[in-house]
Amino acid sequence: MPAQSVFDFASLQQTWAMPSAPRPITILGAGGIVRDGHLPAYRRMGLPVAGVFDVNAEAARKLAADFDIPVVHQTLDDTLAACGTRGVFDLALPPAAILQTVEQLPEGSIALIQKPLGPDGAAARQIVDTLQARSVTAATNFQLRFTPSMLAIRDAVRRGLLGDIVDVEVRLAVYMPWELWSFIPSLDAVEIPLHSIHYLDWIRSLLGEPESVFAKAVKHPRYPTLADARSSIILDYGDRVRCALSLNHTYNYGPKHVEATIRVEGTKGAAHLSVGYLIDYNKPVPEKLEFVTEGGTWTELPLKGERVPDAFGFVMANLQRFAAGEDAVLDTDVRDSVRTMALVDAALKSSRLGGVVPE
Ligand SMILES: NC(=O)c1ccc[n+]([C@@H]2O[C@H](COP(=O)([O-])OP(=O)(O)OC[C@H]3O[C@@H](n4cnc5c(N)ncnc54)[C@H](O)[C@@H]3O)[C@@H](O)[C@H]2O)c1
């Protein structure tokens, strides 16, 4: 029998401290992700929500009724005045609506902005320039980084428990119900800017900037109106790391052989995550995280929470704690997110250009 693993993995970070004086949150955009992710997290973590605004007043009213939000704002001006610099703006808008909204945020205010940061990298730079000109402290809602399992993996890597990271792989063969999102058929690209963007952002936070990217996004006959529905991506870290993402969202022969795993392999150990919430999008099961270190055996680390809703509370907590001077680093600072947006653009460009043609 190999020796048991000696490191107490239970001591790895899985949660984020809450701000000691939570600021009232004002929601802009009362859509699906606020209902399913943001508000359940704020409720669980005791983060107060002061008001909501949506251009669709009925959507705002219904959300407020369902989550006991005290104020439904009638206009954007009212919303901006009520939140001011004391509260936090929580933008969950379609990407094309972000710039026009941040142009009006009060000087010196605080904002969390749902990904993607605009329709493309150029728009992201414009959004960030606007935020900087208005001295807005702003983070992107790249909440995958804050999922308890991902916090644990990053902590293990930072503490050197896995040695030098040599291999990172994201492997999906799942059924993603793309038909749920009515706006998707109008997009020029789907899988990478909407889904894989989270992995690209998380991998940057783990390994740093890749030298380049190879990618191919392809359609599926079941979704003839979608620009694409699945992709393959290689991030080029030179000879240091092999980093590959195999993203099949149209696998239709499950549950047998459904796969949703993330593996991080180092010279001294490895982490393996079964991404439960992707195995069946409509019936999520818990994630399962296992670690192994040299001379030990694979050990499961009981998780203290899930991506939905916990990670949505932690990303907000980091922003509020940073604004209060309680966190030194704003992990998903919009200025960092611009690099993720640039990586998405580069992946889409690679997909359009294609590979090397055999002679
Ligand atoms: N895990 C994640 O991070 C995650 C998951 C899903 C969606 N998202 C992102 O969140 C954003 C919202 O997604 P959703 O699924 O909630 O979309 P949705 O279509 O359900 O909701 C968007 C809402 O914004 C409102 N809106 C549009 N323009 C507005 C404006 N100018 N001012 C105020 N309200 C406006 C719409 O009326 C709608 O109610 C998108 O950018 C999406 O990419 C992120």
Side-chain angles (χ1 to χ4, degrees):
M1 286 280 287
Q4 284 298 312
S5 179
V6 285
F7 179 77
D8 178 16
F9 284 98
S11 69
L12 290 175
Q13 179 186 5
Q14 287 195 40
T15 59
W16 205 273
M18 288 293 117
S20 51
R23 292 172 187 257
I25 297 165
T26 293
I27 310 267
L28 287 100
I33 195 58
V34 167
R35 179 175 288 277
D36 296 342
H38 298 223
L39 290 176
Y42 303 157
R43 182 175 267 180
R44 177 178 293 186
M45 293 172 191
L47 296 169
V49 178
V52 57
F53 171 69
D54 194 299
V55 287
N56 175 349
E58 181 52 28
R61 267 197 297 278
K62 188 149 185 358
L63 190 80
D66 292 346
F67 286 89
D68 301 321
I69 301 173
V71 181
V72 177
H73 297 290
Q74 301 306 314
T75 66
L76 180 60
D77 284 348
D78 289 351
T79 316
L80 301 174
C83 181
T85 54
R86 198 176 61 88
V88 176
F89 292 102
D90 191 9
L91 279 64
L93 303 170
I98 295 174
L99 181 60
Q100 71 202 51
T101 305
V102 302
E103 279 170 346
Q104 300 180 63
L105 290 178
E107 292 266 343
S109 59
I110 304 166
L112 183 63
I113 304 172
Q114 258 298 357
K115 53 56 60 173
L117 206 52
D120 55 27
R125 283 190 293 278
Q126 252 186 305
I127 289 167
V128 172
D129 288 347
T130 305
L131 290 164
Q132 281 192 285
R134 304 179 79 74
S135 303
V136 177
T137 303
T140 310
N141 203 325
F142 276 132
Q143 83 293 135
L144 180 65
R145 293 190 189 196
F146 290 85
T147 303
S149 55
M150 293 306 200
L151 289 173
I153 291 173
R154 192 160 66 160
D155 196 21
V157 170
R158 277 185 184 151
R159 293 202 210 179
L161 296 178
L162 310 184
D164 296 330
I165 302 305
V166 292
D167 211 288
V168 173
E169 189 167 356
V170 178
R171 177 180 284 272
L172 304 184
V174 296
Y175 186 103
M176 172 68 69
W178 292 117
E179 59 277 7
L180 285 181
W181 296 281
S182 56
F183 65 94
I184 288 185
S186 66
L187 301 177
D188 294 338
V190 176
E191 201 284 324
I192 295 174
L194 291 192
H195 186 94
S196 290
I197 187 171
H198 281 292
Y199 306 123
L200 299 179
D201 181 71
W202 166 70
I203 291 168
R204 286 187 49 248
S205 79
L206 196 72
L207 300 178
E209 305 300 338
E211 292 171 19
S212 69
V213 56
F214 304 83
K216 182 73 185 172
V218 294
K219 293 168 83 83
H220 189 278
R222 201 165 57 242
Y223 298 106
T225 58
L226 264 56
D228 63 71
R230 52 217 160 113
S231 46
S232 309
I233 306 174
I234 293 174
L235 296 184
D236 175 8
Y237 284 94
D239 287 341
R240 188 162 67 92
V241 186
R242 188 192 76 96
C243 180
L245 300 86
S246 171
L247 307 150
N248 172 2
H249 296 273
T250 52
Y251 178 63
N252 203 20
Y253 302 99
K256 199 167 168 62
H257 300 313
V258 163
E259 281 186 73
T261 56
I262 296 178
R263 199 174 35 75
V264 177
E265 193 180 332
T267 50
K268 292 183 180 165
H272 183 279
L273 179 68
S274 171
V275 190
Y277 55 85
L278 289 178
I279 287 172
D280 180 342
Y281 194 85
N282 292 313
K283 283 192 226 117
V285 299
E287 287 182 278
K288 182 177 174 185
L289 177 60
E290 297 160 278
F291 283 103
V292 69
T293 50
E294 260 178 345
T297 54
W298 281 100
T299 307
E300 183 177 348
L301 174 63
L303 290 169
K304 294 179 180 161
E306 287 282 332
R307 178 159 176 198
V308 181
D310 302 85
F312 288 81
F314 296 155
V315 69
M316 172 60 83
N318 177 227
L319 172 61
Q320 293 207 19
R321 286 174 58 86
F322 179 78
E326 293 177 310
D327 276 350
V329 175
L330 183 57
D331 210 82
T332 57
D333 191 317
V334 289
R335 289 169 292 189
D336 178 86
S337 306
V338 165
R339 299 302 312 155
T340 297
M341 293 292 292
L343 189 51
V344 167
D345 279 3
L348 295 176
K349 186 173 176 185
S350 165
S351 184
R352 283 193 303 274
L353 288 175
V356 179
V357 179
E359 287 176 9

